[in-house]
Amino acid sequence: MLAALGLVTGCTLAFQVIFTRLVATVLAYHFSFLAISLALLGTGAGALMLYLWPEWFERGDLEASLARWATIYAALLVLIPFPLVHIDLSQGTSAVDGGFVLGLLGVCVLATLPSFAAGVVVALAIRGYTQWIGPVYAWDLMGAGIGALIVVPVLWLGPAPVLLVALGIVAATAAGLFGFRHQRARIGAGIVIVVAVGAILLSSVSSVLYLPPHYGLATKKLVQVADRWTPLARVLGYEFPGNKAPFAGLFYDRVYAPVKVVQPGEIPDWRALGTGPQSIAYKMTDPGRVLVIGGGGGRDIWNALSEGEKRVDVIELNEGIRQVVDIDLAKISGRPYSHPGVHTTIGDGRSVLSRSDAKYKVIHLGFTDTLSASAAQGYALSENSLYTVEAFAEYFDHLAPNGVLDVSRLRKLVGKEALRATVLTLAALKQRGVDHPERNVVVVRGTDILGEQYGTILARLRPWTASELTDIKQLAATRGEGIAYAPGGPYFAEWADLAKADGFRSFCEGYSLNVCPPTDNKPFFFNMQRLSQIGQEDKGFIYNTDPSTLLMVTLGILAGLSLLGFVLPLVVHRMRKAADPAPSVGALTYFAALGLGFLLLEIVLIQRFVLFLGFPTYALSVVLFSLLVFTGIGSMLSSRLRAARRTLATVLGIAVVLIVIGSWALPELNGLITLPFSTRVVIAIVSLAPAGLVLGICMPLGLRRFQALWPTGVAYAWGVNGIASVLASVLGIAIAINFGFRTASLAAAGCYAFALVHALVGRWPSTSESAVPVTATAEVSLSAPEPSIP
């Protein structure tokens, strides 16, 4: 029985991750965090519905009910990919019309239904086995932890729609375990497994589960030659028939990179590549080693090679991009990642660089961005800390004498990107002790092959000399569109305002957009809306749908739904005039605080460990696995503790202290980034273990106390916990964007501090303050045999 529960929760976490991966392929990154919110909403709603209308969910004994709803959950996992692949939401990046709203509503329903069924399963088990809540909750958490560990490598195996169908097989296996003693349950689970296997086989020979890319391309003029699903993105490659066009197309989620068509033996120059401003850095330095962070379609690699560089190191985050360019498009791309003299490393650019002692004549970031959600928690990993003061300090540390940091950003896309990169460069130089950083920075204007204006920042640790500035201006006139910012001028457009200001700090604080330098604590380079500007028209955005406004609107909607989920059962209970007393609002807020606090902390921890572990997916797996498993162990240990006021208060107090300490201590782990990967994984696990153990004790002790006071309200408490997690999934990102990850951590500590106060002053069973009697649950019509492991 416990093993079956673990399978269900493992499937639920995997569903959230895979569904997020799927949504990110058809929407811009600022929509994808909705997937995790909707999944959590469904889970909490299932528990609340069980409390309000238990007769809808109860037929037969507990095992039969668990098996039936697990079968429903499995069937939904198998079925929802079929309509999902036919919903086109790509227009949401340019306009929000009726069709988009209906499509988004469809996605919301499809995300919520399976989670609702899973929520019913877990709530039935928690309610029916409250007297054994320690091991039951432990298996719930550890199942989710195993799911977190497995789902990332699973994402390499195939398209997300097919993986969702495959999850149905796992959920159906859980249904069979739940109903092992019931023939009808076994037959139902078997039917779902047969249908799922048939659907997977059918998808291998047809397009029944194929998700069209919906890029708005003239598909009749293009030939798709690659479609690779990875944990980070879906990567597609396109050719023009006959290779008549100078470029092929590379798409990863909603981001595009041109792939230069290269003839055998050819090394295209800046004219053919459209990379004139980016090539200037190579003319201003001595021969040496070059680093390209984010190879994309290979243009920046060819750019370096065409300038005569003999050693080009490339750090590429997504292995799928390298495979599409160098394998699937090999006949036309020239295989830039594998070219002689090019050395490619797969990983996070900053993390890989931090473990290297190499010195480079040029470090180049060419439009390297994160406008696609990773497979983890949607928005939580939408930034990878490449554009922070600390990151630029790392780049300057790895420059050889007279080396140049070469950064290109669009002038306007999701804000004034090139301007913010300029301010960031000035801030990083100032932090290194450069008194007049404006003397060390030049910005060259350019227009990309797609007609988009951009700026290339050229910076180094010593000032540019007069003769060097003359050379740069001549090169900028021939290879670009002139100078946007340079010592002594000229100054162009928004850079003129920067030059007139007393300093970059006073300029950015008074500018219409938040172009102040991001830090590791607030690494959201692409979020330039201030909190006071939410909802206002902003000329810095090309997207019609402003991500920050959408985030805050979603936060408001989810706050309303959470309040409704909290209050509605109390109102219905009062209208029914039920004999049993309704749970107190104070007791329910305890579980809301735990739900808010735990997920807020989870979001922050995933982000904190991205740099330390060197890869976003490693952070997802290691953090969630460690946190959930140790929380599960803590839950198991809770069965040895008495649910007394002093015990619960002590545990919550320790939790608050650990979270507060971690908010300052965990970032310091980045100083150990040069250690071997296996050692860093061990350090991460050990660092997360204490908090996990303590947090795992809080819920079971609280539920045992709650069940002794309100025996029929356990599902309600569990649902409130889940609904609060929905709010936290968006609230955590909103706090981090506007106030930083440390503040989000302290908000999590505040939630547990609130729970601590409630434990100290809230109501406890009158029979004893030192122990809550273990009683069989008094829920309606469900017998609760001792949970077993089939």
Side-chain angles (χ1 to χ4, degrees):
M1 193 64 64
L2 294 177
L5 179 63
L7 285 176
V8 169
T9 55
C11 280
T12 302
L13 188 139
F15 168 75
Q16 294 169 2
V17 173
I18 295 172
F19 198 89
T20 302
R21 171 74 265 124
L22 191 152
V23 171
T25 67
V26 293
L27 281 171
Y29 79 114
H30 45 271
F31 283 94
S32 51
F33 69 89
L34 289 173
I36 183 70
S37 302
L38 292 167
L40 291 169
L41 178 64
T43 303
L48 292 177
M49 292 287 283
L50 174 62
Y51 171 74
L52 288 173
W53 295 281
E55 64 275 8
W56 294 1
F57 306 94
E58 301 169 350
R59 291 206 313 268
D61 61 19
L62 178 57
E63 291 177 349
S65 296
L66 287 167
R68 181 168 56 256
W69 279 95
T71 302
I72 294 172
Y73 175 44
L76 288 169
L77 289 174
V78 174
L79 294 175
I80 65 165
F82 290 91
L84 188 62
V85 297
H86 295 291
I87 298 177
D88 180 9
L89 295 176
S90 58
Q91 66 267 35
T93 60
S94 58
V96 178
D97 55 19
F100 172 77
V101 172
L102 288 176
L104 186 59
L105 179 61
V107 171
C108 292
V109 172
L110 293 174
T112 304
L113 285 176
S115 300
F116 176 85
V120 171
V121 173
V122 176
L124 280 170
I126 294 292
R127 189 190 70 163
Y129 296 118
T130 305
Q131 52 193 344
W132 298 288
I133 186 59
V136 171
Y137 187 50
W139 276 84
D140 172 82
L141 292 166
M142 287 192 279
I146 296 297
L149 186 67
I150 294 176
V151 68
V152 171
V154 165
L155 285 166
W156 285 102
L157 300 180
V162 178
L163 295 180
L164 289 180
V165 174
L167 273 183
I169 297 175
V170 181
T173 302
L177 293 175
F178 279 131
F180 189 73
R181 301 189 184 116
H182 301 269
Q183 183 178 11
R184 291 181 62 183
R186 296 197 303 271
I187 292 174
I191 291 173
V192 173
I193 291 174
V194 171
V195 171
V197 172
I200 293 172
L201 293 175
L202 182 62
S203 70
S204 66
V205 296
S206 72
S207 60
V208 65
L209 286 176
Y210 177 73
L211 180 67
H214 297 303
Y215 288 124
L217 301 171
T219 53
K220 293 182 179 179
K221 298 181 180 180
L222 292 173
V223 177
Q224 181 178 317
V225 297
D227 187 357
R228 293 179 181 266
W229 289 78
T230 77
L232 288 173
R234 181 190 187 184
V235 187
L236 298 105
Y238 292 91
E239 292 182 19
F240 287 90
N243 294 342
K244 295 180 181 179
F247 290 92
L250 174 75
F251 286 86
Y252 38 108
D253 288 343
R254 305 303 304 172
V255 182
Y256 168 78
V259 179
K260 183 70 179 74
V261 176
V262 178
Q263 301 301 321
E266 175 192 11
I267 297 181
D269 63 11
W270 63 268
R271 295 179 181 84
L273 295 167
T275 55
Q278 296 96 306
S279 69
I280 294 175
Y282 300 103
K283 295 297 184 183
M284 305 307 300
T285 57
D286 301 324
R289 198 170 173 180
V290 171
L291 173 65
V292 173
I293 299 178
R299 282 200 303 164
D300 294 327
I301 301 173
W302 291 123
N303 191 34
L305 293 171
S306 69
E307 295 296 330
E309 305 302 337
K310 304 301 182 183
R311 169 69 185 256
V312 180
D313 293 345
V314 179
I315 305 175
E316 177 59 63
L317 180 66
N318 193 339
E319 169 65 16
I321 292 176
R322 187 202 66 79
Q323 292 175 350
V324 170
V325 173
D326 267 24
I327 298 175
D328 301 315
L329 294 172
K331 292 182 180 179
I332 63 172
S333 70
R335 304 179 71 233
Y337 288 96
S338 306
H339 192 278
V342 175
H343 302 265
T344 301
T345 302
I346 303 299
D348 174 75
R350 185 174 163 194
S351 180
V352 172
L353 183 62
S354 298
R355 298 194 300 274
S356 169
D357 57 1
K359 298 291 184 179
Y360 296 99
K361 60 174 287 185
V362 173
I363 296 178
H364 178 66
L365 285 83
F367 308 106
T368 306
D369 58 36
T370 52
L371 289 180
S372 56
S374 73
Q377 308 301 342
Y379 219 112
L381 295 183
S382 67
E383 308 291 336
N384 62 11
S385 297
L386 285 179
Y387 298 99
T388 68
V389 172
E390 294 86 348
F392 274 48
E394 190 74 50
Y395 307 149
F396 284 125
D397 283 342
H398 283 81
L399 287 178
N402 296 324
V404 177
L405 176 61
D406 179 359
V407 181
S408 294
R409 292 300 322 166
L410 291 174
R411 185 182 171 197
K412 182 173 72 173
L413 181 61
V414 294
K416 299 292 184 67
E417 297 180 18
L419 179 63
R420 192 173 201 186
T422 305
V423 174
L424 171 58
T425 305
L426 294 171
L429 288 168
K430 188 70 173 180
Q431 189 181 70
R432 291 185 62 89
V434 178
D435 293 331
H436 298 282
E438 67 277 2
R439 299 175 182 175
N440 301 40
V441 177
V442 176
V443 180
V444 180
R445 298 164 52 205
T447 299
D448 200 9
I449 60 172
L450 299 178
E452 297 169 335
Q453 294 182 344
Y454 66 92
T456 294
I457 297 99
L458 306 175
R460 64 183 186 184
L461 293 175
R462 70 170 179 81
W464 296 102
T465 66
S467 61
E468 289 171 333
L469 289 173
T470 299
D471 292 340
I472 292 176
K473 290 175 182 178
Q474 291 175 349
L475 289 167
T478 57
R479 299 192 177 195
E481 298 178 356
I483 296 294
Y485 181 90
Y491 303 111
F492 174 77
E494 55 264 31
W495 284 277
D497 296 330
L498 173 60
K500 294 176 185 176
D502 293 335
F504 69 85
R505 180 62 63 183
S506 61
F507 166 76
C508 73
E509 290 176 352
Y511 196 66
S512 59
L513 289 172
N514 180 16
V515 293
C516 291
T519 65
D520 282 354
N521 186 47
K522 290 177 61 177
F524 298 93
F525 178 85
F526 298 104
N527 290 87
M528 301 185 203
Q529 284 277 70
R530 290 188 172 90
L531 191 60
S532 60
Q533 297 171 322
I534 299 300
Q536 297 178 7
E537 180 181 356
D538 192 278
K539 297 180 181 180
F541 288 86
I542 287 179
Y543 288 128
N544 284 359
T545 307
D546 168 28
S548 298
T549 299
L550 179 65
L551 178 70
M552 300 309 295
V553 169
T554 305
L555 177 60
I557 293 172
L558 292 178
L561 289 174
S562 298
L563 182 61
L564 179 64
F566 189 95
V567 174
L568 181 61
L570 292 175
V571 175
V572 173
H573 189 280
R574 180 172 298 177
M575 292 174 62
R576 288 177 174 175
K577 298 181 180 180
D580 58 309
S584 71
V585 172
L588 292 169
T589 56
Y590 172 87
F591 296 99
L594 294 190
L596 273 172
F598 189 84
L599 201 65
L600 284 173
L601 182 63
E602 180 183 287
I603 289 172
V604 173
L605 289 175
I606 291 173
Q607 179 66 31
R608 288 298 196 194
F609 280 95
V610 170
L611 178 60
F612 181 66
L613 294 176
F615 214 73
T617 49
Y618 293 160
L620 171 69
S621 289
V622 173
V623 170
L624 288 185
F625 172 77
S626 303
L627 191 62
L628 292 171
V629 167
F630 279 105
T631 304
I633 294 173
S635 178
M636 192 76 73
L637 294 174
S638 71
S639 60
R640 300 173 180 267
L641 302 174
R642 294 193 296 178
R645 188 186 300 270
R646 179 178 298 177
T647 304
L648 185 56
T650 301
V651 171
L652 287 166
I654 295 173
V656 172
V657 171
L658 289 176
I659 295 172
V660 171
I661 293 175
S663 66
W664 271 272
L666 288 180
E668 300 303 317
L669 290 179
N670 291 333
L672 304 175
I673 202 170
T674 57
L675 295 174
F677 175 71
S678 58
T679 304
R680 284 179 282 133
V681 170
V682 172
I683 291 173
I685 293 173
V686 172
S687 300
L688 294 169
L693 289 171
V694 173
L695 298 182
I697 297 174
C698 302
M699 175 66 79
L701 290 185
L703 276 176
R704 281 161 54 193
R705 164 205 174 197
F706 187 90
Q707 188 245 358
L709 292 167
W710 297 282
T712 62
V714 171
Y716 189 5
W718 185 257
V720 166
N721 179 266
I723 291 293
S725 298
V726 178
L727 182 61
S729 66
V730 180
L731 180 62
I733 299 304
I735 294 174
I737 288 175
N738 292 286
F739 305 106
F741 282 111
R742 177 166 293 134
T743 302
S745 292
L746 296 177
C751 291
Y752 281 94
F754 177 89
L756 169 61
V757 172
H758 178 73
L760 290 172
V761 303
R763 179 183 170 190
W764 282 78
S766 58
T767 53
S768 173
E769 285 227 344
S770 61
V772 175
V774 177
T775 60
T777 180
E779 298 287 350
V780 181
S781 77
L782 286 181
S783 60
E786 182 173 354
S788 59
I789 304 176

